mmCIF file of all heavy atoms in Angstrom:
data_model
loop_
_atom_site.group_PDB
_atom_site.id
_atom_site.type_symbol
_atom_site.label_atom_id
_atom_site.label_comp_id
_atom_site.label_asym_id
_atom_site.label_seq_id
_atom_site.Cartn_x
_atom_site.Cartn_y
_atom_site.Cartn_z
ATOM 1 N N VAL A 9 -5.266 20.018 -17.666
ATOM 2 C CA VAL A 9 -4.425 18.938 -17.040
ATOM 3 C C VAL A 9 -4.904 17.672 -17.712
ATOM 4 O O VAL A 9 -6.028 17.304 -17.673
ATOM 5 C CB VAL A 9 -4.465 19.011 -15.537
ATOM 6 C CG1 VAL A 9 -3.960 17.742 -14.868
ATOM 7 C CG2 VAL A 9 -3.920 20.144 -14.987
ATOM 8 N N ARG A 10 -3.939 16.828 -18.057
ATOM 9 C CA ARG A 10 -4.221 15.647 -18.745
ATOM 10 C C ARG A 10 -3.295 14.550 -18.137
ATOM 11 O O ARG A 10 -2.212 14.675 -17.735
ATOM 12 C CB ARG A 10 -3.962 15.769 -20.318
ATOM 13 C CG ARG A 10 -4.592 16.803 -20.927
ATOM 14 C CD ARG A 10 -4.170 16.737 -22.360
ATOM 15 N NE ARG A 10 -5.095 17.515 -23.187
ATOM 16 C CZ ARG A 10 -5.008 17.825 -24.449
ATOM 17 N NH1 ARG A 10 -4.012 17.272 -25.171
ATOM 18 N NH2 ARG A 10 -5.813 18.480 -25.113
ATOM 19 N N THR A 11 -3.889 13.346 -18.465
ATOM 20 C CA THR A 11 -3.010 12.101 -18.228
ATOM 21 C C THR A 11 -2.423 12.126 -16.822
ATOM 22 O O THR A 11 -1.290 11.683 -16.755
ATOM 23 C CB THR A 11 -2.099 11.799 -19.375
ATOM 24 O OG1 THR A 11 -2.698 12.291 -20.545
ATOM 25 C CG2 THR A 11 -1.561 10.488 -19.447
ATOM 26 N N LEU A 12 -3.033 12.445 -15.730
ATOM 27 C CA LEU A 12 -2.444 12.516 -14.442
ATOM 28 C C LEU A 12 -2.573 11.011 -13.860
ATOM 29 O O LEU A 12 -3.785 10.717 -13.703
ATOM 30 C CB LEU A 12 -3.187 13.539 -13.533
ATOM 31 C CG LEU A 12 -2.668 13.724 -12.171
ATOM 32 C CD1 LEU A 12 -1.226 14.268 -12.203
ATOM 33 C CD2 LEU A 12 -3.376 14.736 -11.429
ATOM 34 N N ALA A 13 -1.524 10.374 -13.690
ATOM 35 C CA ALA A 13 -1.561 9.043 -13.190
ATOM 36 C C ALA A 13 -0.431 8.746 -12.160
ATOM 37 O O ALA A 13 0.632 9.314 -12.282
ATOM 38 C CB ALA A 13 -1.480 8.137 -14.331
ATOM 39 N N VAL A 14 -0.741 7.901 -11.237
ATOM 40 C CA VAL A 14 0.283 7.413 -10.214
ATOM 41 C C VAL A 14 0.207 5.909 -10.130
ATOM 42 O O VAL A 14 -0.752 5.304 -10.188
ATOM 43 C CB VAL A 14 -0.080 8.108 -8.777
ATOM 44 C CG1 VAL A 14 0.871 7.503 -7.759
ATOM 45 C CG2 VAL A 14 -0.028 9.504 -8.849
ATOM 46 N N ASP A 15 1.464 5.336 -10.042
ATOM 47 C CA ASP A 15 1.467 3.962 -9.890
ATOM 48 C C ASP A 15 0.774 3.544 -8.783
ATOM 49 O O ASP A 15 0.842 4.110 -7.604
ATOM 50 C CB ASP A 15 2.988 3.652 -9.651
ATOM 51 C CG ASP A 15 3.304 2.147 -9.547
ATOM 52 O OD1 ASP A 15 2.495 1.408 -8.959
ATOM 53 O OD2 ASP A 15 4.449 1.745 -9.969
ATOM 54 N N PRO A 16 -0.199 2.651 -8.944
ATOM 55 C CA PRO A 16 -1.135 2.105 -7.837
ATOM 56 C C PRO A 16 -0.315 1.737 -6.525
ATOM 57 O O PRO A 16 -0.839 1.910 -5.425
ATOM 58 C CB PRO A 16 -1.803 0.997 -8.430
ATOM 59 C CG PRO A 16 -1.776 1.080 -9.873
ATOM 60 C CD PRO A 16 -0.444 1.865 -10.158
ATOM 61 N N ASP A 17 0.909 1.119 -6.661
ATOM 62 C CA ASP A 17 1.710 0.774 -5.576
ATOM 63 C C ASP A 17 2.124 1.981 -4.721
ATOM 64 O O ASP A 17 2.611 1.853 -3.541
ATOM 65 C CB ASP A 17 2.884 -0.039 -5.965
ATOM 66 C CG ASP A 17 2.508 -1.355 -6.549
ATOM 67 O OD1 ASP A 17 1.391 -1.907 -6.310
ATOM 68 O OD2 ASP A 17 3.392 -1.947 -7.322
ATOM 69 N N MET A 18 2.113 3.193 -5.345
ATOM 70 C CA MET A 18 2.551 4.390 -4.719
ATOM 71 C C MET A 18 1.337 5.316 -4.365
ATOM 72 O O MET A 18 1.512 6.476 -3.882
ATOM 73 C CB MET A 18 3.475 5.162 -5.571
ATOM 74 C CG MET A 18 4.808 4.308 -6.036
ATOM 75 S SD MET A 18 5.857 4.129 -4.578
ATOM 76 C CE MET A 18 6.514 5.796 -4.427
ATOM 77 N N ALA A 19 0.115 4.885 -4.531
ATOM 78 C CA ALA A 19 -1.026 5.706 -4.142
ATOM 79 C C ALA A 19 -1.181 6.170 -2.791
ATOM 80 O O ALA A 19 -0.595 5.342 -1.906
ATOM 81 C CB ALA A 19 -2.291 4.896 -4.621
ATOM 82 N N GLY A 20 -1.695 7.354 -2.551
ATOM 83 C CA GLY A 20 -1.899 7.680 -1.091
ATOM 84 C C GLY A 20 -0.616 8.373 -0.570
ATOM 85 O O GLY A 20 -0.699 8.632 0.753
ATOM 86 N N ARG A 21 0.438 8.744 -1.296
ATOM 87 C CA ARG A 21 1.588 9.302 -0.820
ATOM 88 C C ARG A 21 1.733 10.719 -1.189
ATOM 89 O O ARG A 21 2.739 11.346 -1.026
ATOM 90 C CB ARG A 21 2.855 8.462 -1.239
ATOM 91 C CG ARG A 21 2.784 7.054 -0.764
ATOM 92 C CD ARG A 21 4.075 6.367 -1.063
ATOM 93 N NE ARG A 21 3.935 4.914 -0.836
ATOM 94 C CZ ARG A 21 4.879 4.000 -0.855
ATOM 95 N NH1 ARG A 21 6.076 4.459 -1.102
ATOM 96 N NH2 ARG A 21 4.780 2.836 -0.550
ATOM 97 N N GLY A 22 0.696 11.210 -1.819
ATOM 98 C CA GLY A 22 0.695 12.627 -2.211
ATOM 99 C C GLY A 22 1.329 12.925 -3.510
ATOM 100 O O GLY A 22 1.559 14.116 -3.996
ATOM 101 N N ILE A 23 1.745 11.930 -4.244
ATOM 102 C CA ILE A 23 2.373 12.096 -5.494
ATOM 103 C C ILE A 23 1.565 12.799 -6.445
ATOM 104 O O ILE A 23 1.885 13.768 -7.298
ATOM 105 C CB ILE A 23 2.951 10.754 -6.102
ATOM 106 C CG1 ILE A 23 3.897 10.206 -5.204
ATOM 107 C CG2 ILE A 23 3.566 10.912 -7.473
ATOM 108 C CD1 ILE A 23 4.350 8.702 -5.376
ATOM 109 N N GLY A 24 0.232 12.437 -6.640
ATOM 110 C CA GLY A 24 -0.668 13.064 -7.637
ATOM 111 C C GLY A 24 -0.856 14.533 -7.272
ATOM 112 O O GLY A 24 -0.885 15.390 -8.136
ATOM 113 N N SER A 25 -0.851 14.878 -5.953
ATOM 114 C CA SER A 25 -0.949 16.284 -5.552
ATOM 115 C C SER A 25 0.295 17.054 -5.941
ATOM 116 O O SER A 25 0.142 18.240 -6.378
ATOM 117 C CB SER A 25 -1.231 16.362 -4.072
ATOM 118 O OG SER A 25 -2.464 15.863 -3.665
ATOM 119 N N VAL A 26 1.449 16.430 -5.697
ATOM 120 C CA VAL A 26 2.637 17.225 -6.066
ATOM 121 C C VAL A 26 2.802 17.428 -7.623
ATOM 122 O O VAL A 26 3.135 18.463 -8.079
ATOM 123 C CB VAL A 26 3.837 16.421 -5.521
ATOM 124 C CG1 VAL A 26 5.225 17.112 -6.099
ATOM 125 C CG2 VAL A 26 3.835 16.396 -4.020
ATOM 126 N N LEU A 27 2.369 16.419 -8.397
ATOM 127 C CA LEU A 27 2.344 16.489 -9.811
ATOM 128 C C LEU A 27 1.361 17.700 -10.282
ATOM 129 O O LEU A 27 1.663 18.477 -11.079
ATOM 130 C CB LEU A 27 1.941 15.251 -10.383
ATOM 131 C CG LEU A 27 3.160 14.269 -10.619
ATOM 132 C CD1 LEU A 27 2.563 12.847 -11.032
ATOM 133 C CD2 LEU A 27 4.056 14.707 -11.878
ATOM 134 N N LEU A 28 0.225 17.602 -9.696
ATOM 135 C CA LEU A 28 -0.873 18.488 -10.015
ATOM 136 C C LEU A 28 -0.347 20.001 -9.712
ATOM 137 O O LEU A 28 -0.526 20.939 -10.544
ATOM 138 C CB LEU A 28 -2.220 18.142 -9.409
ATOM 139 C CG LEU A 28 -3.339 19.226 -9.774
ATOM 140 C CD1 LEU A 28 -3.634 19.265 -11.246
ATOM 141 C CD2 LEU A 28 -4.613 18.844 -9.031
ATOM 142 N N THR A 29 0.172 20.149 -8.514
ATOM 143 C CA THR A 29 0.805 21.410 -8.228
ATOM 144 C C THR A 29 1.676 21.914 -9.199
ATOM 145 O O THR A 29 1.729 23.067 -9.612
ATOM 146 C CB THR A 29 1.326 21.427 -6.735
ATOM 147 O OG1 THR A 29 0.202 21.098 -5.925
ATOM 148 C CG2 THR A 29 1.940 22.784 -6.291
ATOM 149 N N ALA A 30 2.612 21.065 -9.609
ATOM 150 C CA ALA A 30 3.648 21.470 -10.593
ATOM 151 C C ALA A 30 3.039 21.748 -11.962
ATOM 152 O O ALA A 30 3.510 22.748 -12.564
ATOM 153 C CB ALA A 30 4.619 20.256 -10.712
ATOM 154 N N LEU A 31 2.028 21.024 -12.322
ATOM 155 C CA LEU A 31 1.425 21.318 -13.628
ATOM 156 C C LEU A 31 0.559 22.626 -13.522
ATOM 157 O O LEU A 31 0.629 23.426 -14.556
ATOM 158 C CB LEU A 31 0.331 20.157 -13.971
ATOM 159 C CG LEU A 31 0.931 18.893 -14.328
ATOM 160 C CD1 LEU A 31 -0.032 17.761 -14.314
ATOM 161 C CD2 LEU A 31 1.743 18.926 -15.629
ATOM 162 N N MET A 32 0.055 22.966 -12.314
ATOM 163 C CA MET A 32 -0.718 24.305 -12.306
ATOM 164 C C MET A 32 0.376 25.422 -12.202
ATOM 165 O O MET A 32 0.156 26.450 -12.719
ATOM 166 C CB MET A 32 -1.559 24.253 -10.876
ATOM 167 C CG MET A 32 -2.531 23.201 -10.956
ATOM 168 S SD MET A 32 -3.805 23.467 -12.092
ATOM 169 C CE MET A 32 -4.931 24.510 -11.202
ATOM 170 N N ASP A 33 1.587 25.307 -11.676
ATOM 171 C CA ASP A 33 2.635 26.107 -11.847
ATOM 172 C C ASP A 33 3.079 26.366 -13.251
ATOM 173 O O ASP A 33 3.331 27.556 -13.613
ATOM 174 C CB ASP A 33 3.833 25.648 -10.958
ATOM 175 C CG ASP A 33 3.568 25.712 -9.465
ATOM 176 O OD1 ASP A 33 2.620 26.411 -8.976
ATOM 177 O OD2 ASP A 33 4.431 25.058 -8.800
ATOM 178 N N ARG A 34 3.055 25.351 -14.034
ATOM 179 C CA ARG A 34 3.329 25.505 -15.548
ATOM 180 C C ARG A 34 2.291 26.387 -16.115
ATOM 181 O O ARG A 34 2.554 27.242 -16.992
ATOM 182 C CB ARG A 34 3.281 24.214 -16.094
ATOM 183 C CG ARG A 34 4.639 23.458 -16.095
ATOM 184 C CD ARG A 34 4.643 22.194 -17.083
ATOM 185 N NE ARG A 34 6.010 21.819 -17.306
ATOM 186 C CZ ARG A 34 6.335 20.914 -18.171
ATOM 187 N NH1 ARG A 34 5.444 20.349 -18.942
ATOM 188 N NH2 ARG A 34 7.658 20.588 -18.311
ATOM 189 N N ALA A 35 0.998 26.180 -15.752
ATOM 190 C CA ALA A 35 -0.048 26.946 -16.388
ATOM 191 C C ALA A 35 0.146 28.449 -15.947
ATOM 192 O O ALA A 35 0.075 29.292 -16.814
ATOM 193 C CB ALA A 35 -1.411 26.353 -15.777
ATOM 194 N N ARG A 36 0.451 28.731 -14.729
ATOM 195 C CA ARG A 36 0.768 30.158 -14.286
ATOM 196 C C ARG A 36 1.891 30.733 -15.114
ATOM 197 O O ARG A 36 1.829 31.879 -15.562
ATOM 198 C CB ARG A 36 0.991 30.130 -12.949
ATOM 199 C CG ARG A 36 -0.162 29.987 -11.966
ATOM 200 C CD ARG A 36 0.183 30.053 -10.476
ATOM 201 N NE ARG A 36 -0.911 29.727 -9.658
ATOM 202 C CZ ARG A 36 -1.068 28.376 -9.239
ATOM 203 N NH1 ARG A 36 -0.244 27.566 -9.489
ATOM 204 N NH2 ARG A 36 -2.104 28.175 -8.430
ATOM 205 N N ALA A 37 3.064 29.940 -15.268
ATOM 206 C CA ALA A 37 4.210 30.319 -15.951
ATOM 207 C C ALA A 37 3.842 30.714 -17.349
ATOM 208 O O ALA A 37 4.590 31.685 -17.803
ATOM 209 C CB ALA A 37 5.326 29.219 -15.896
ATOM 210 N N VAL A 38 3.012 30.076 -18.002
ATOM 211 C CA VAL A 38 2.686 30.415 -19.486
ATOM 212 C C VAL A 38 1.547 31.440 -19.768
ATOM 213 O O VAL A 38 1.235 31.908 -20.628
ATOM 214 C CB VAL A 38 2.480 29.218 -20.359
ATOM 215 C CG1 VAL A 38 3.739 28.304 -20.346
ATOM 216 C CG2 VAL A 38 1.267 28.471 -19.945
ATOM 217 N N GLY A 39 0.887 31.931 -18.444
ATOM 218 C CA GLY A 39 -0.037 32.932 -18.521
ATOM 219 C C GLY A 39 -1.514 32.439 -18.486
ATOM 220 O O GLY A 39 -2.379 33.132 -18.681
ATOM 221 N N VAL A 40 -1.700 31.101 -18.322
ATOM 222 C CA VAL A 40 -3.032 30.617 -18.365
ATOM 223 C C VAL A 40 -3.656 30.991 -17.081
ATOM 224 O O VAL A 40 -3.006 30.911 -15.955
ATOM 225 C CB VAL A 40 -2.931 29.166 -18.540
ATOM 226 C CG1 VAL A 40 -4.275 28.379 -18.294
ATOM 227 C CG2 VAL A 40 -2.519 28.721 -19.988
ATOM 228 N N GLN A 41 -5.014 31.376 -17.168
ATOM 229 C CA GLN A 41 -5.638 31.765 -15.956
ATOM 230 C C GLN A 41 -6.762 30.762 -15.504
ATOM 231 O O GLN A 41 -7.212 30.801 -14.335
ATOM 232 C CB GLN A 41 -6.477 33.119 -16.167
ATOM 233 C CG GLN A 41 -5.333 34.152 -16.399
ATOM 234 C CD GLN A 41 -5.898 35.239 -17.246
ATOM 235 O OE1 GLN A 41 -7.016 35.307 -17.789
ATOM 236 N NE2 GLN A 41 -5.073 36.300 -17.609
ATOM 237 N N ARG A 42 -7.135 29.772 -16.354
ATOM 238 C CA ARG A 42 -8.098 28.763 -16.018
ATOM 239 C C ARG A 42 -7.514 27.410 -16.541
ATOM 240 O O ARG A 42 -6.996 27.394 -17.557
ATOM 241 C CB ARG A 42 -9.503 28.965 -16.698
ATOM 242 C CG ARG A 42 -10.048 30.388 -16.309
ATOM 243 C CD ARG A 42 -11.317 30.809 -16.982
ATOM 244 N NE ARG A 42 -11.134 30.736 -18.414
ATOM 245 C CZ ARG A 42 -12.067 30.504 -19.231
ATOM 246 N NH1 ARG A 42 -13.348 30.173 -18.889
ATOM 247 N NH2 ARG A 42 -11.874 30.601 -20.582
ATOM 248 N N VAL A 43 -7.908 26.427 -15.666
ATOM 249 C CA VAL A 43 -7.366 25.077 -15.942
ATOM 250 C C VAL A 43 -8.483 24.166 -16.006
ATOM 251 O O VAL A 43 -9.173 23.976 -14.917
ATOM 252 C CB VAL A 43 -6.172 24.740 -14.993
ATOM 253 C CG1 VAL A 43 -5.836 23.175 -15.323
ATOM 254 C CG2 VAL A 43 -5.089 25.572 -15.143
ATOM 255 N N PHE A 44 -8.700 23.406 -17.018
ATOM 256 C CA PHE A 44 -9.832 22.385 -17.159
ATOM 257 C C PHE A 44 -9.196 21.046 -16.966
ATOM 258 O O PHE A 44 -8.016 20.700 -17.305
ATOM 259 C CB PHE A 44 -10.356 22.534 -18.603
ATOM 260 C CG PHE A 44 -11.267 21.547 -19.052
ATOM 261 C CD1 PHE A 44 -12.557 21.546 -18.563
ATOM 262 C CD2 PHE A 44 -10.823 20.384 -19.774
ATOM 263 C CE1 PHE A 44 -13.480 20.514 -18.993
ATOM 264 C CE2 PHE A 44 -11.741 19.491 -20.231
ATOM 265 C CZ PHE A 44 -13.132 19.531 -19.803
ATOM 266 N N CYS A 45 -10.115 20.149 -16.464
ATOM 267 C CA CYS A 45 -9.896 18.629 -16.464
ATOM 268 C C CYS A 45 -11.131 17.948 -16.643
ATOM 269 O O CYS A 45 -12.280 18.463 -16.340
ATOM 270 C CB CYS A 45 -9.117 18.252 -15.272
ATOM 271 S SG CYS A 45 -10.156 18.249 -13.653
ATOM 272 N N LEU A 46 -10.936 16.706 -17.231
ATOM 273 C CA LEU A 46 -12.073 15.759 -17.445
ATOM 274 C C LEU A 46 -11.750 14.569 -16.548
ATOM 275 O O LEU A 46 -10.666 13.996 -16.832
ATOM 276 C CB LEU A 46 -12.252 15.443 -18.833
ATOM 277 C CG LEU A 46 -13.361 14.699 -19.399
ATOM 278 C CD1 LEU A 46 -14.677 15.442 -19.086
ATOM 279 C CD2 LEU A 46 -13.272 14.312 -20.780
ATOM 280 N N THR A 47 -12.575 14.372 -15.505
ATOM 281 C CA THR A 47 -12.008 13.359 -14.507
ATOM 282 C C THR A 47 -13.138 12.582 -13.845
ATOM 283 O O THR A 47 -14.271 13.013 -13.794
ATOM 284 C CB THR A 47 -11.223 14.057 -13.519
ATOM 285 O OG1 THR A 47 -10.597 13.048 -12.580
ATOM 286 C CG2 THR A 47 -12.043 14.987 -12.705
ATOM 287 N N PHE A 48 -12.796 11.516 -13.329
ATOM 288 C CA PHE A 48 -13.669 10.722 -12.409
ATOM 289 C C PHE A 48 -13.227 11.024 -10.915
ATOM 290 O O PHE A 48 -13.951 10.708 -10.090
ATOM 291 C CB PHE A 48 -13.542 9.095 -12.601
ATOM 292 C CG PHE A 48 -14.109 8.611 -13.894
ATOM 293 C CD1 PHE A 48 -13.262 8.255 -14.982
ATOM 294 C CD2 PHE A 48 -15.528 8.500 -13.997
ATOM 295 C CE1 PHE A 48 -13.750 7.750 -16.126
ATOM 296 C CE2 PHE A 48 -16.190 8.082 -15.209
ATOM 297 C CZ PHE A 48 -15.271 7.575 -16.213
ATOM 298 N N ALA A 49 -12.080 11.557 -10.755
ATOM 299 C CA ALA A 49 -11.552 11.834 -9.462
ATOM 300 C C ALA A 49 -11.966 13.131 -8.898
ATOM 301 O O ALA A 49 -11.124 13.990 -8.543
ATOM 302 C CB ALA A 49 -10.011 11.602 -9.494
#
């Protein structure tokens, strides 16, 4: 998972979580079993 970002004016509304869930769904759809990220969060 890369480049996950939410407009600061929209922070705290769950947008990052919804995006991450959708990205994880993409991972499952292509057969990936492990997902890496490099983060401060």
Side-chain angles (χ1 to χ4, degrees):
V9 168
R10 303 176 164 181
T11 320
L12 186 60
V14 173
D15 182 324
D17 293 338
M18 299 293 286
R21 298 183 190 194
I23 296 168
S25 292
V26 174
L27 274 166
L28 181 56
T29 298
L31 292 167
M32 300 295 272
D33 288 345
R34 275 192 163 187
R36 285 182 193 89
V38 298
V40 167
Q41 297 152 358
R42 299 178 302 153
V43 178
F44 171 78
C45 72
L46 189 64
T47 186
F48 289 105

